Amino acid sequence: QVQLVESGGRLVQIGGSLRLSCAASGSFFRIDTMKWYRQVPGKQRELVASVTRDGDRTYSDAVKGRFTISRDNNKNMVHLQMNGLKPEDAATYYCNADYLPLSGPKSVSRWGQGTQVTVSS
């Protein structure tokens, strides 16, 4: 089983930068696609960015050009570099990982507990 722990969320000013990190630990065969989602109260959780094990990345239109997702397969970590932060980026950010358990063969999805990003003027 995989545990995901996010970190890096805090209060930041409009236009500022922030780097979120997510560390995966536990027993598993392989971690495949890792993703960042975000959610504000009363709204659905939305996909922000994803990165495959091979490094293929996708971004939502809302963050394209401002956010960069990266991962370190050796450390089982995924990061989200957020630049040019806007008030609408304020949310709880969640890490999600698809992994292959030791028991196999079906992939399992796991969520972290979330980290809060606040953007203020």
Side-chain angles (χ1 to χ4, degrees), residues 2-94:
V2 166
Q3 293 80 42
L4 301 175
V5 178
E6 300 100 331
S7 62
R10 61 175 175 85
L11 173 66
V12 63
Q13 288 189 328
I14 293 173
S17 297
L18 203 57
R19 188 185 193 225
L20 305 182
S21 296
C22 173
S25 62
S27 300
F28 50 88
F29 180 72
R30 186 185 68 236
I31 294 180
D32 294 320
T33 300
M34 302 187 81
K35 304 174 184 177
W36 285 99
Y37 285 78
R38 65 187 182 187
Q39 188 172 25
V40 297
K43 290 192 175 182
Q44 281 192 330
R45 195 169 293 190
E46 64 169 342
L47 177 62
V48 174
S50 68
V51 59
T52 67
R53 186 170 182 81
D54 295 332
D56 294 327
R57 308 172 187 179
T58 62
Y59 299 95
S60 69
D61 289 341
V63 307
K64 201 172 294 183
R66 299 187 296 122
F67 291 10
T68 302
I69 190 170
S70 62
R71 67 185 287 172
D72 184 334
N73 290 334
N74 291 325
K75 296 182 179 178
N76 295 315
M77 295 190 72
V78 64
H79 308 283
L80 186 67
Q81 178 66 41
M82 305 187 293
N83 299 328
L85 283 161
K86 304 176 181 180
E88 53 264 41
D89 294 319
T92 301
Y93 283 72
Y94 295 91

